[in-house]
Amino acid sequence: MRNGFVRKALGYALAIAIIVAGWQLTALAVGNPVLPGPFDAFPMVGTYFGDLWPAFLISLYRVVAAMLIGTALAIPLGLLCGRSPRVDAVFAPVLYFIYPLPKVVLLPVLVVLMGLGDAPKIALIALTIFFQVLVTVRDAAKSVPEESVMSMRSLGAGRLDIYRHVIVPATLPELFTALRISSGTAVAILFFAESLAGSTGLGYFIVDAWALLAYPKMFAGIIAMAFLGIALYEIFELLERRMTRWRSAQARG
């Protein structure tokens, strides 16, 4: 485990070095204040920390609340659709119709219905996460080998036991993959919602700095939002390692 942590830390250090070098070279080539170099932008995180930290906490709350709501609603329905052909026959046509729809187009409707507070932003992200997780869990539940289910039934297991010991563990890797991917989508939608329909959060911080032509300040907000996305990704990866330890055991076996 320690070696894995060291390798990951070295990988992140190398990635940051490459990004910073590429950023600096691009800034020198462009030669425009709109693209300050990393050594001008990073100190701005400390300079504007008093404004940046509250905005970060607001954005963190919104995206975490939305992902919890969307995931909690999607998992049971995805499992049910994946294992019940009758339920899937009802929901599949609706899913095929709504899933490709860009959910961001619903922001004006949500703002009219819920106002300019947290609710429309959380609802928009939760709606997007809901469908992404639902599709993933549904497909993962469908792909569980029937032999595994039948072997549990032969041992006298009931439906809840089969879900607990077979279906849910089999879908966890795909679920966490979907959550890691969705974390980036959630942060992108958060920026869109905060920049267009609100006066708080990192999205508003970035757009407000852009309107004032305060480009180093704007990049401080961008750095904070990037950190938010990375933190969410790493949290889901950590949870996956802890909740799917049997995969590591299988790999060693």
Side-chain angles (χ1 to χ4, degrees), residues 3 17 19 22 28 37 49 51 53 57 76 86 124-125 162 172 180 191 201 246 250 252:
N3 290 336
I19 291 172
L28 292 174
F49 186 80
D51 297 325
W53 179 243
L57 291 179
R86 291 183 179 179
L124 182 64
I125 299 171
I162 292 173
L172 281 178
R180 289 199 305 271
F191 169 76
W246 50 269
Q250 285 183 344
R252 289 194 299 266

Side-chain angles (χ1 to χ4, degrees), residues 81-103:
C81 289
R83 301 307 304 174
S84 173
R86 291 183 179 179
V87 175
D88 192 49
V90 173
F91 283 97
V94 179
L95 184 62
Y96 293 150
F97 180 78
I98 298 180
Y99 179 69
L101 175 70
K103 310 305 180 296

